[in-house]
Amino acid sequence: MARTLSDPARTAGVGMTSARTRARMVARLRSKGIRDERVLAAMAVVPRHLFVDSALESRAYEDSALPIGFSQTISQPFVVARMIELVLQERTPGKTLEVGTGCGYQAALLATICPEVYSIERIKALHERARRNLLALRLANLRLVHGDGYAGLEQAAPFHSIIVAAAAPHLPQALARQLAPDGRMILPLAQPAGGQRLLLVERRGRAYQESELDPVHFVPMEAGKA
Ligand code: SAH
């Protein structure tokens, strides 16, 4: 059998997958402008190499997106850090929903920072892979769900924070409704003229304030389970 993810040696990493390599990634993120110490601390402890194919492990701490199968990618560390920083801002972390678990890396970061995290993935095989990837990290406050993120997760709402890791053509209404009255959501939005931008949605009671931020490049958000 191939090395499993609960193999302590693999979890600890060596050489290009060591804690020292991860510390260099964190230093680069800091120099590129990531300021939230909670995000930087989580990125220093979550072993990103556990979430990529073993053939790509030596590249796990480069600041790039990498393939995870099923035409999907693990997001670029800078973008992951930036989105978590934007959605948390200076607030105390609360109940959080992630849409697009993929391999589970961002879910692991969120569960390191937030008291309660739910993450939805539409592709069953990826949902199961994420579960395997996350086993060794024993994050008891993280729940993985196989479902369609367009519907959100009514049974666990409202959420203090929502992070979407796939680009939708419009703001999914169910997600907006499931935000707590003072909640924040960050998502990549496909632009009518092409390209994508991050959209920050801040709910204040019945009012939703939307701000368009950085250009990004995410896989598309697709409807229905697969
Ligand atoms: N969060 C991941 C990034 C995953 S890529 C990371 O840490 O790197 C985006 C993921 O969103 C893909 O796995 C894709 O299958 C998933 N996705 C796309 N549309 C979705 C939907 N409607 N509901 C749930 N997941 C969706």
Side-chain angles (χ1 to χ4, degrees):
M1 200 177 127
R3 287 176 306 164
T4 65
L5 297 178
S6 49
D7 175 349
R10 183 165 185 231
T11 309
V14 288
M16 291 303 284
T17 61
S18 65
R20 190 185 294 180
T21 311
R22 196 153 55 243
R24 279 199 292 273
M25 174 186 80
V26 171
R28 276 197 309 276
L29 292 172
R30 201 186 282 281
S31 72
K32 284 181 161 185
I34 303 299
R35 291 278 169 271
D36 192 318
E37 293 299 333
R38 300 168 296 187
V39 176
L40 293 164
M43 296 190 84
V45 298
V46 175
R48 190 169 185 260
H49 67 275
L50 296 188
F51 296 88
V52 298
D53 198 82
S54 47
L56 292 170
E57 269 187 4
S58 64
R59 300 186 51 201
Y61 298 105
E62 291 175 8
D63 195 20
S64 56
L66 294 169
I68 54 171
F70 307 91
S71 311
Q72 307 302 322
T73 54
I74 178 170
S75 305
Q76 182 193 348
F78 177 78
V79 176
V80 172
R82 172 104 175 112
M83 287 176 82
I84 301 177
E85 181 171 85
L86 283 167
V87 85
L88 284 181
Q89 234 195 10
E90 266 104 59
R91 304 179 305 156
T92 303
K95 197 200 298 175
T96 299
L97 175 68
E98 178 193 32
V99 173
T101 316
C103 58
Y105 176 63
Q106 174 161 271
L109 293 172
L110 290 170
T112 304
I113 300 170
C114 306
E116 191 180 351
V117 179
Y118 295 81
S119 181
I120 312 179
E121 170 58 51
R122 67 179 286 274
I123 300 177
K124 182 108 199 262
L126 275 178
H127 160 75
E128 284 167 355
R129 185 177 299 174
R131 191 177 292 293
R132 285 197 300 277
N133 290 349
L134 287 157
L135 267 182
L137 302 182
R138 295 194 177 83
L139 298 161
N141 58 334
L142 172 61
R143 294 275 174 279
L144 301 182
V145 179
H146 176 226
D148 180 359
Y150 270 114
L153 198 63
E154 191 66 52
Q155 63 269 38
F159 298 99
H160 170 270
S161 304
I162 300 180
I163 299 195
V164 184
H170 55 80
L171 175 61
Q173 287 308 304
L175 295 181
R177 277 198 308 274
Q178 291 172 22
L179 265 187
D182 57 348
R184 287 165 75 96
M185 164 159 52
I186 184 96
L187 70 159
L189 210 62
Q191 304 290 296
Q196 301 169 0
R197 271 184 183 278
L198 286 183
L199 181 73
L200 178 67
V201 180
E202 296 168 89
R203 180 169 185 184
R204 297 205 183 87
R206 289 186 182 180
Y208 291 84
Q209 185 183 315
E210 299 182 10
S211 329
E212 277 195 6
L213 305 167
D214 324 10
V216 283
H217 188 75
F218 277 83
V219 296
M221 187 158 167
E222 290 176 56
K225 289 203 256 186

